[in-house]
Amino acid sequence: MDFVGDRLLEQVNVFNETDRRVTGSIAVVDPAGETALDETFDLAPSDSGDDEGAASGDDEQSVAVYDDVWGEAGSYEANVELTGTDIDGQSQASEMVTIDDSDEQLLGVALGSEAVDEPIGFRVGESLSDLA
């Protein structure tokens, strides 16, 4: 699992674990207060890989990945806001995450994951198994 994850994941990763399309935005502010990431996402349901026609191209991804976010080690503020939907009543979340090794650590944002207590959960790790 980590071998595949190392090939696919970048520094910041948003996973749609729900059974419906989710759109929104993610922003990350670095330790100096500068915006390091400000992007939107449009993610297919997590089970879209099993659906007919799901291999139609990159438009049907349930994961959004972003690289070149971490500059230096420190505390980063990550903000996620969903557009036109919510997950268990929550449409936005924010968390301070600590990045000790900007070359190795990843941030995973899980939308609707049963493995995380919150509807929008944040995890820092060095591999896919750390984020799951």
Side-chain angles (χ1 to χ4, degrees), residues 4-24:
V4 173
D6 288 345
R7 304 259 183 262
L8 300 175
L9 300 181
E10 298 292 350
Q11 290 180 335
V12 176
N13 308 274
V14 181
F15 303 94
N16 180 9
E17 308 259 340
T18 70
D19 61 357
R20 65 186 186 276
R21 180 170 295 281
V22 177
T23 60

Side-chain angles (χ1 to χ4, degrees), residues 20-47:
R20 65 186 186 276
R21 180 170 295 281
V22 177
T23 60
S25 61
I26 182 165
V28 176
V29 177
D30 70 16
E34 300 292 322
T35 300
L37 177 68
D38 188 6
E39 295 287 338
T40 60
F41 53 83
D42 182 358
L43 301 175
S46 63
D47 63 355

Side-chain angles (χ1 to χ4, degrees), residues 15 23-24 26 32-34 60 70 72 78 103 123:
F15 303 94
T23 60
I26 182 165
E34 300 292 322
E60 292 301 313
W70 312 142
E72 60 188 52
D103 292 329
R123 287 206 176 152

Side-chain angles (χ1 to χ4, degrees), residues 1-116:
M1 178 168 80
D2 287 335
F3 177 77
V4 173
D6 288 345
R7 304 259 183 262
L8 300 175
L9 300 181
E10 298 292 350
Q11 290 180 335
V12 176
N13 308 274
V14 181
F15 303 94
N16 180 9
E17 308 259 340
T18 70
D19 61 357
R20 65 186 186 276
R21 180 170 295 281
V22 177
T23 60
S25 61
I26 182 165
V28 176
V29 177
D30 70 16
E34 300 292 322
T35 300
L37 177 68
D38 188 6
E39 295 287 338
T40 60
F41 53 83
D42 182 358
L43 301 175
S46 63
D47 63 355
S48 66
D50 299 331
D51 292 346
E52 182 178 311
S56 62
D58 292 338
D59 293 342
E60 292 301 313
Q61 298 295 317
S62 61
V63 179
V65 298
Y66 308 98
D67 204 13
D68 298 323
V69 179
W70 312 142
E72 60 188 52
S75 295
Y76 288 76
E77 182 179 2
N79 298 288
V80 172
E81 186 167 342
L82 306 181
T83 306
T85 191
D86 64 71
I87 300 170
D88 295 335
Q90 188 172 350
S91 63
Q92 60 186 16
S94 179
E95 185 154 327
M96 292 297 289
V97 296
T98 300
I99 301 299
D100 297 318
D101 185 341
S102 59
D103 292 329
E104 295 295 325
Q105 288 184 300
L106 313 170
L107 171 63
V109 181
L111 307 176
S113 173
E114 293 177 6
V116 184

